[in-house]
Amino acid sequence: MLIFPRRSRIVFVGDSITDADRDRSALPGGWGFGQGYVNHLHNMLTAVYPDKDLMTVNSGNSGDDIMQMAQRWEDDVLDLEPDFISVMIGVNDAWRHFDGTLRQAAVHEPDEFEEVYDGLLDLTRARLPKLQGIIVMSPFMFEANRDEAMRVKVEAFSRASQCVAEKHHAIFVDVQAEVDHFLTRQHPCIASADRVHPNERGAMIVAHSWLRSVGFEWERSAFDD
């Protein structure tokens, strides 16, 4: 059964995978969901659960790591007073270990990432006492070789995300597991040109993993829940 009560406001926050070229001129919940998994989720929740009147808001920001996301948390999450938040962050924190010198970017380790993430969720619980739930999505790569250096680093940030989810009794969405299932049959280029940013097919894989975790059901006997 879908976990969201009627008229729930769900705010999605994260990096470019969440952002996906969203329209920043859009009113929250009105339009401008981007071209990624948030748009897929908005469409499926609206089409299959029209009686729920769910509001979806995309607060993703391309390029964000955990520190940059934290700087905008007030505007992107708290000020929107969500009933549920869904967070996916970490792939840029991993990526900066490989291009940080060229970009002259700050590099963060998984333990620092986990500490900041934990603090954000503590703050959210304190500021939003009516918050009904948190969904933590793992960072991921379309890379089948689990020994590849960046895939190893992404896994480290995924484990840190899972630890935060467990501490806060949040739903943990193992997106990488869904991606790995896809990669047993298909090449990464089918879903992502650079192994990180999903195309529309890749975004549907991400969306499917999220829907499985929140009790989405295609077939419903009645609108009585």
Side-chain angles (χ1 to χ4, degrees), residues 17 31 33 56 58 93-94 103 112 126 143 156 166 171 184 192-193:
I17 299 169
W31 70 91
F33 301 101
T56 52
N58 188 345
D93 295 88
R103 294 165 56 97
E112 184 181 11
E143 171 57 64
E166 291 172 353
I171 293 172
T184 63
S192 173

Side-chain angles (χ1 to χ4, degrees), residues 174-208:
D174 190 349
V175 182
Q176 187 67 62
E178 196 89 9
V179 169
D180 287 341
H181 173 71
F182 174 84
L183 294 178
T184 63
R185 296 290 183 177
Q186 301 290 340
H187 191 276
C189 70
I190 301 297
S192 173
D194 62 1
R195 304 181 301 164
V196 170
H197 296 94
N199 57 26
E200 287 189 356
R201 289 179 292 274
M204 185 59 76
I205 295 168
V206 178
H208 184 243

Side-chain angles (χ1 to χ4, degrees), residues 1 17 47 49 63 79 99 102 137 141 143 155 199 211 216:
M1 181 179 294
I17 299 169
Y49 292 86
D79 286 352
D99 68 359
L102 298 175
M137 305 174 70
M141 276 188 74
E143 171 57 64
E155 291 279 11
N199 57 26
L211 291 171
F216 182 92

Side-chain angles (χ1 to χ4, degrees), residues 91-171:
V91 73
N92 286 325
D93 295 88
W95 210 339
R96 296 299 84 86
H97 283 261
F98 300 92
D99 68 359
T101 301
L102 298 175
R103 294 165 56 97
Q104 298 186 354
V107 174
H108 312 120
E109 297 299 333
D111 56 348
E112 184 181 11
F113 170 91
E114 183 176 338
E115 181 179 357
V116 174
Y117 208 155
D118 179 39
L120 287 175
L121 297 191
D122 276 339
L123 174 64
T124 304
R125 292 284 193 192
R127 291 280 299 278
L128 302 175
K130 295 183 180 180
L131 186 75
Q132 298 181 53
I134 298 170
I135 302 161
V136 172
M137 305 174 70
S138 75
F140 62 90
M141 276 188 74
F142 286 93
E143 171 57 64
N145 179 6
R146 301 189 183 202
D147 294 324
E148 194 273 340
M150 186 166 159
R151 165 78 194 249
V152 171
K153 188 62 73 173
V154 170
E155 291 279 11
F157 285 98
S158 178
R159 288 193 295 272
S161 298
Q162 186 170 11
C163 288
V164 171
E166 291 172 353
K167 178 175 179 180
H168 289 269
H169 305 289
I171 293 172

